[in-house]
């Protein structure tokens, strides 16, 4: 089980959009619709932001959106705000192997 | 409201064992799949294990297979992780999580720190 590949960091100014990629394989990201995204602030537990590739739980702002193409999933944050500065992790179902997280991306609001 | 409280972490020596617990409240525990994940200091999240509602289905990450055992007691509303043959690589904060759908963990505990060091 190799971790899904994410960029180490992305940054943007308030109001801008940033996109985080999450690249897996045909046995995880490419095989299932079960891709989730979590936000984690320092010292805190993860928070669910996106599930089933592109669904938003209640309470998550609609500036967060998800998509997938082939073996790569993406999280886009539109209208970046200061409180969005955090680490973001993708996670995919991997069949009988269970689940696999991404390497994590630090989002910096300039 | 949904609450998950992990306990049982601490400092152990390589080769020793530890049992983590996760006490659930605010929801019908027996109706939900549960999971354990961990995060080494300064590192990313790593999925560890998953258990079905009945406890009959369990999956483990390759890194812990054969050493860790996940279990649950639905009457006590508790999730467990028995960790044997611990190594320094197992040093991490361990979180328990509740699944609301396949691979969708909507609630987490505050985590419990496990440190493996001689």
């Amino acid at each position: 089980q190799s971790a899904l590949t994410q960029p180490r960091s992305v940054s943007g100014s308030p109001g801008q959009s940033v996109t985080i990629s999450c690249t897996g394989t045909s046995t995880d990201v490419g095989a299932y619709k079960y891709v989730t995204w979590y936000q984690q602030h320092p010292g805190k537990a993860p928070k669910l932001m996106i599930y089933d590739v592109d669904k938003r739980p209640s309470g998550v702002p609609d500036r967060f959106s998800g998509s997938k193409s082939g073996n790569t999933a993406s999280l886009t944050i539109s209208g970046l705000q200061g409180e969005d500065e955090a680490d973001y992790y993708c996670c995919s179902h991997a069949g009988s192997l269970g689940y696999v997280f991404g390497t994590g991306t630090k989002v910096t609001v300039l | 409201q949904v609450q998950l409280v992990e306990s049982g972490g601490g400092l152990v020596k390589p080769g020793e064992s530890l049992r983590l617990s996760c006490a659930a409240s605010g929801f019908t525990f027996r109706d939900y799949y549960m999971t354990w994940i961990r995060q080494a200091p300064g590192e990313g999240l790593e999925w560890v294990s998953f258990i079905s509602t009945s406890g009959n289905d369990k999956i483990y990450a390759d890194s812990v297979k054969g050493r860790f055992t996940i279990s649950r007691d639905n009457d006590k509303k508790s999730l467990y992780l028995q960790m044997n043959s611990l190594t320094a690589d197992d040093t991490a904060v361990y979180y328990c999580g509740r699944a609301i759908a396949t691979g969708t963990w909507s609630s987490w505990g505050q985590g419990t720190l496990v440190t493996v060091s001689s």
Side-chain angles (χ1 to χ4, degrees), chain A:
Chain A
Q1 292 160 317
S2 297
L4 308 176
T5 301
Q6 297 180 232
R8 183 173 294 272
S9 65
V10 299
S11 61
S13 300
Q16 287 187 330
S17 293
V18 295
T19 296
I20 303 168
S21 60
C22 169
T23 301
T25 70
S26 59
T27 60
D28 40 60
V29 175
Y32 303 97
K33 69 171 186 175
Y34 306 118
V35 176
T36 51
W37 289 90
Y38 297 90
Q39 176 192 67
Q40 187 181 37
H41 287 104
K44 300 295 187 182
K47 176 186 177 183
L48 178 66
M49 304 302 285
I50 295 287
Y51 68 99
D52 289 357
V53 174
D54 58 6
K55 295 182 174 58
R56 256 189 330 273
S58 61
V60 172
D62 60 6
R63 63 177 185 275
F64 290 88
S65 62
S67 63
K68 190 184 84 164
S69 177
N71 297 337
T72 298
S74 299
L75 173 72
T76 298
I77 310 174
S78 305
L80 201 60
Q81 298 187 8
E83 63 260 36
D84 300 334
E85 186 162 294
D87 294 324
Y88 291 82
Y89 295 90
C90 60
C91 183
S92 175
H93 183 53
S96 60
L97 296 179
Y99 298 90
V100 58
F101 276 99
T103 50
T105 298
K106 181 176 180 58
V107 171
T108 301
V109 181
L110 302 172

Side-chain angles (χ1 to χ4, degrees), chain B residues 22-80:
Chain B
C22 171
S25 60
F27 66 100
T28 305
F29 179 73
R30 65 178 66 248
D31 289 346
Y32 290 86
Y33 285 35
M34 299 293 293
T35 195
W36 287 99
I37 67 170
R38 66 184 182 183
Q39 186 169 35
E43 301 295 325
L45 301 175
E46 180 187 12
W47 173 77
V48 173
S49 184
F50 154 96
I51 188 167
S52 63
T53 53
S54 65
N56 290 336
D57 297 313
K58 307 172 184 180
I59 308 178
Y60 299 93
D62 287 345
S63 58
V64 306
K65 200 173 295 183
R67 299 187 300 122
F68 289 13
T69 302
I70 190 172
S71 63
R72 64 190 296 162
D73 186 327
N74 286 338
D75 292 331
K76 293 184 177 179
K77 301 179 184 180
S78 292
L79 176 72
Y80 306 102

